[in-house]
Amino acid sequence: MKRFYLTGHHTFSNRGCEAIVRSTVALLREQFGDIEVLVPSSNIPEDHAQWPEADSLGVRFVPAYLPSINRYWVHLQQFPIPVLKKAGWPFPLPQWLRKTLASVDCVLSIGGDNYSLDYLLPSLLMGLDGCAMDLGKPVVLWGASVGPFEGEPHFLPVICRHLERMAFIAAREPVTVEYLTKLGLGNKVIHVADPAFALTTEPVDTATFWPEDPGEGVLGLNVSPLLLRYRPTKEPEGRLLDEVAGFIRYAVVERRLGVLLVPHVIPHDGAAKNNDAAFMAQLLPRLSDLGNHLRVMNDNLNAAQTKHVISQCRFFIGARTHSTIAALSSEVPTISIAYSVKAKGINRDLFG
C-alpha cells in the first residue's frame, strides 16, 4: 500500500484547501487503489467532522507542525539583510516529524500558492519539503502556482535550487509554467489542472438560505477581506463594502436577480480575521430593505456541499480562487475578482 504525506496543508477552514485534499485523495485512489494519506491538521476534530468519510478513504489526520518561532522568523526575514533571505529554514525539525516523513513513499506539497510571496517567504514549507528530500523521498509540488520571486532577489537563487531538487512540479496554470521555464526549471514542469476541478459535489438542502423569488436566477457572490490589500492605502474599509452593496442592489432591483453570499474561508474558531462570513455579514445592514432577495449561505457547509450550492447558481462572481473553480467546473458563468497569478492563469487556461 502506497503512503503519502501532504505538506503545505493546515486546516479545512479554507474550503479551497479542503477541495484540494479531497480531490487529490480521489485521484491517488484512482491511480494506486488502496492508499494511506497523512493529512497534517491544526484542528483534527474539526477537520474530521468536516469530512467524516475520510477514514474509509485511507485518510489519517496527523498533527500539523506549526512552531511558534515560524511567525517571528518569517517577519525577521522581511528585513533587507541578504543572509536572512538566503537562510531558508535553519531550525531542526522534531524527531517525530522526521520519522513520519521517513515512513512515506512520496510527499505531495499542496496548498496551491504556498510557494509564492503572498504569505511572506515560504521558509517552513521549504524546511519540511527539504527534509523529505534529504531523506530520499520524492517530493512533488502538486497543483501549484509558483512565484514570482523577483521582489526578493537574494531569495530567488535559493528557491530555484530548492525547486530543482523536486521530482517534478505540477503547475496548475500557464503563467506559472512560463515563469518556471524562464527560471530554467522547464524540465521539471508539467501543466495540469488544479485538482479541485475534479471535486465531486455533495447535495445539500438549499431551501433554508436560497434567495426568495429570484426572477432571473441567483447570482452567487464571494467577497473576501483579502481584497482590502489591493485598495488605496488611505481608503476607509467601508468604501469597498459600499461599492459591493451598490452592485448587489443593482443586481436585485434592476436585473431581478437573487443574490447569495457564499463564504469560502471561515476559521474554525470564528475569528474575524480572514473570515469571508464575518466580512460579508457587514453587507446585510446596508441592504436590509432587499429582504430575502439577498441571503447568506450556511457557513458550516464543507467544500463538496459548497460546490453543490455554487453549481445551482445562474452566475457566480468570486474572489477566492477555489470558489471560482467550483463554479467554473460546474459550467456556471463565472467572473474572477483576480488579484494573483493563480486566478489570471486559470482563466487564461479556460478562456484564452
Side-chain angles (χ1 to χ4, degrees), residues 82-230:
V83 68
L84 293 177
K85 310 293 186 184
K86 299 175 182 179
W89 183 255
F91 310 102
L93 298 180
Q95 193 59 36
W96 64 264
L97 181 57
R98 294 177 62 87
K99 185 177 179 180
T100 299
L101 293 172
S103 73
V104 303
D105 297 292
C106 180
V107 170
L108 298 182
S109 190
I110 65 169
D113 53 356
N114 285 334
Y115 274 104
S116 73
L117 298 180
D118 288 358
Y119 317 104
L120 307 182
L121 299 188
S123 301
L124 176 57
L125 183 57
M126 291 172 66
L128 292 169
D129 290 343
C131 177
M133 290 186 277
D134 291 343
L135 291 168
K137 304 300 176 180
V139 176
V140 174
L141 184 49
W142 177 243
S145 295
V146 179
F149 299 110
E150 278 69 18
E152 295 284 4
H154 296 290
F155 176 70
L156 183 58
V158 177
I159 190 66
C160 285
R161 287 194 297 269
H162 177 77
L163 295 173
E164 179 66 40
R165 296 181 65 200
M166 291 189 166
F168 64 90
I169 300 167
R172 63 180 171 179
E173 33 76 19
V175 177
T176 289
V177 173
E178 292 162 7
Y179 178 66
L180 291 174
T181 300
K182 185 184 76 172
L183 292 180
L185 295 165
N187 62 315
K188 289 285 182 178
V189 181
I190 62 171
H191 188 182
V192 303
D194 187 295
F197 274 91
L199 178 66
T200 56
T201 60
E202 181 182 324
V204 64
D205 183 11
T206 62
T208 59
F209 55 78
W210 203 246
E212 180 182 89
D213 188 28
E216 297 298 326
V218 169
L219 165 66
L221 179 63
N222 166 261
V223 184
S224 88
L226 291 185
L227 294 180
L228 294 171
R229 297 180 184 178
Y230 303 93

Side-chain angles (χ1 to χ4, degrees), residues 2 29 32 53 59-60 75 86 104 115 150 154 188 200 208 220 229 234 242-243 247 272 277-278 303-304 319 321:
K2 297 291 185 186
R29 287 174 59 83
F32 298 107
E53 305 84 14
V59 172
R60 183 155 66 88
H75 283 94
K86 299 175 182 179
V104 303
Y115 274 104
E150 278 69 18
H154 296 290
K188 289 285 182 178
T200 56
T208 59
R229 297 180 184 178
K234 296 182 180 179
D242 289 342
E243 290 180 4
F247 172 74
T321 292

Side-chain angles (χ1 to χ4, degrees), residues 10 14 40 46 55 105 172 208 232 327:
H10 299 146
N14 185 326
E46 290 283 357
D55 293 345
D105 297 292
R172 63 180 171 179
T208 59

Side-chain angles (χ1 to χ4, degrees), residues 273-300:
K273 184 179 179 181
N274 198 28
N275 185 329
D276 294 356
F279 185 68
M280 290 192 291
Q282 299 174 78
L283 292 165
L284 301 179
R286 291 168 163 82
L287 297 164
S288 58
D289 58 299
L290 298 182
N292 288 333
H293 295 292
L294 171 66
R295 301 294 299 276
V296 183
M297 187 191 80
N298 290 351
D299 63 9
N300 62 350

